[in-house]
Amino acid sequence: MRTDQILPRLERVFARLDREPERPAHLQTPRMSRHRVVLLGANLAFYLAIVVAVLTTSWLVRLDWQIMFFRPYEQWPQLHAFLDYLVVLGQRGPTAVMVAAWLGWRSWRQHTLRPLITLGVALLLLNITVGAVKLGLGRLGPHYATEIGSAELFAGGDIFPSGHTANAVVTWGILAYLASTVVTRRVLSLVSAVVSLSVGATTVYLGTHWVSDVLLGWLAGLLVMLALPWFEPLIALVEAYVFDVRARLRSLVEAGQVPEALTGLLVPLLSAGGKWQLQRAAAEPAERPSAQPAPPVVVLRQPEQAEPAQVPVPASASASASGSAQAAGHQPAARPAAHLSGRPHLIRSERTPLTPAGSRRPAHADRAPVRGAAPRPAAGG
């Protein structure tokens, strides 16, 4: 095979792995048709017939004992190791994880939660119906049988019907139930039938179940699969409710009403494959300059002027200064106070002179100096 032929095939495979842009329109929900109702009724009749056959200790119970005495695990011991692994395909835990992973990818790819919700509803129905019959009849298994030929009912056991077999029918049958094409549904139905038959036969080989347990387990799984279309309205209602809760959580996260620690966990779950992104413009002021708080107003205050130190003035200089002012009859004009430092500013005449020389006012030429006053420089130096 040429390399240029392999690459287009690989591209087609990876293209199918990509997410579809929107939910496919060709996905159809199975309906409860008349054919399905007939199969459900026939299956339920066989189910009740096997229960009655075991309760009455009929030929079916004798067949159970014959196969138990045959001990298949001793007849073909070389198959024991392989069948120990094969029976895991009927255990509820491992199979539910594998199928849930596949259906989870389908849910993400097709923008719908229906595959996962359908699996949950089917397993819930299986646990209720099978578990009720197990606990109600209380049958013991072949390894714990106490009386040869008896049905071993109401003895505190939990083996009738076979849970491995019923779980294999439902878990693998749900893949065929959710198939989107007719061909895929037929192929997966065949695979589911082979797996469930193999798991049931393996439990008989290992001696963990009677033959009647396996028969009733197959019928119990088929009853769940045939009745599943009746629960499609419930599945759609649960899906709509989940999407509504997701929309509410998105609005709460965008409004900033969710703690930051919880927001970091919810954003990946609410992103829906990248179609929704967190936008909290109102909660982040950096994205809206107009919503920034106004900067604080800083009031600059002029530092207060320290008052000069008081210098002692001689009595003669003080008397001569006051006498000259009275003789001239001149009163100094007061200056308006400037409220820069929070208190009235002293006028010049009220300040304490820096030097003991007296007044700084220049001497008038037309006025006679006062007698007794000592001569002093005009600038007060």
Side-chain angles (χ1 to χ4, degrees):
M1 183 178 296
R2 298 176 56 183
T3 307
D4 55 353
Q5 296 178 354
I6 298 177
L7 291 179
R9 293 183 180 181
L10 292 177
E11 292 177 358
R12 288 197 297 268
V13 171
F14 285 109
R16 290 183 59 86
L17 294 177
D18 291 337
R19 195 178 192 217
E20 298 182 4
E22 58 185 8
R23 180 173 179 174
H26 64 278
L27 296 179
Q28 297 180 357
T29 302
R31 296 179 300 175
M32 200 65 184
S33 61
R34 182 177 302 178
H35 176 70
R36 189 181 289 268
V37 173
V38 172
L39 290 177
L40 179 63
N43 200 350
L44 182 60
F46 280 110
Y47 186 95
L48 295 176
I50 292 177
V51 173
V52 172
V54 174
L55 287 174
T56 58
T57 316
S58 63
W59 60 271
L60 187 57
V61 177
R62 293 193 297 269
L63 178 63
D64 290 338
W65 280 98
Q66 290 175 1
I67 295 179
M68 194 274 288
F69 285 133
F70 182 70
R71 292 183 174 87
Y73 56 90
E74 294 181 356
Q75 302 297 327
W76 302 284
Q78 63 275 10
L79 300 177
H80 200 289
F82 170 73
L83 295 180
D84 275 338
Y85 291 101
L86 181 63
V87 77
V88 177
L89 296 178
Q91 291 183 359
R92 185 171 296 108
T95 56
V97 171
M98 290 187 291
V99 175
W102 170 261
L103 296 180
W105 173 77
R106 282 197 56 188
S107 296
W108 173 83
R109 184 171 181 268
Q110 298 177 350
H111 306 268
T112 177
L113 295 176
R114 180 174 170 267
L116 288 176
I117 298 176
T118 304
L119 175 63
V121 171
L123 292 179
L124 181 61
L125 291 175
L126 178 67
N127 292 334
I128 293 176
T129 55
V130 174
V133 178
K134 278 176 173 288
L135 298 178
L137 297 179
R139 191 181 189 185
L140 295 176
H143 293 308
Y144 303 95
T146 57
E147 184 180 354
I148 298 177
S150 67
E152 301 294 336
L153 294 172
F154 310 109
D158 56 352
I159 203 170
F160 181 70
S162 172
H164 280 69
T165 306
N167 185 73
V169 174
V170 172
T171 306
W172 301 106
I174 204 71
L175 299 178
Y177 180 83
L178 295 172
S180 56
T181 61
V182 178
V183 177
T184 306
R185 184 179 295 111
R186 290 177 180 176
V187 172
L188 292 178
S189 298
L190 180 61
V191 172
S192 173
V194 172
V195 172
S196 59
L197 290 174
S198 301
V199 171
T202 301
T203 58
V204 175
Y205 168 86
L206 297 175
T208 57
H209 279 287
W210 308 97
V211 175
S212 56
D213 299 342
V214 175
L215 294 176
L216 198 66
W218 284 330
L219 295 175
L222 287 175
L223 281 175
V224 173
M225 296 304 303
L226 292 173
L228 204 54
W230 278 337
F231 295 89
E232 286 293 340
L234 176 62
I235 295 172
L237 183 63
V238 172
E239 182 182 14
Y241 175 76
V242 171
F243 283 143
D244 183 60
V245 171
R246 186 185 66 176
R248 294 179 183 177
L249 288 177
R250 285 178 176 179
S251 61
L252 292 177
V253 170
E254 290 177 349
Q257 300 179 4
V258 180
E260 292 295 334
L262 187 58
T263 300
L265 299 176
L266 290 178
V267 168
L269 298 177
L270 300 177
S271 61
K275 299 189 67 175
W276 175 80
Q277 295 181 356
L278 177 60
Q279 297 180 355
R280 291 190 303 179
E284 299 181 1
E287 298 180 1
R288 295 181 59 184
S290 59
Q292 292 183 353
V297 179
V298 179
V299 180
L300 298 178
R301 300 178 60 181
Q302 184 175 356
E304 298 180 0
Q305 184 176 1
E307 295 183 359
Q310 298 288 339
V311 180
V313 181
S316 60
S318 176
S320 62
S322 59
S324 62
Q326 292 177 0
H330 176 72
Q331 296 293 335
R335 296 183 180 180
H339 298 276
L340 296 178
S341 59
R343 62 180 183 178
H345 189 74
L346 299 177
I347 61 177
R348 188 177 183 88
S349 62
E350 296 176 356
R351 295 180 182 174
T352 303
L354 297 177
T355 59
S359 175
R360 292 176 178 266
R361 296 178 60 83
H364 295 275
D366 55 346
R367 297 180 184 178
V370 181
R371 294 180 180 180
R376 58 184 182 277

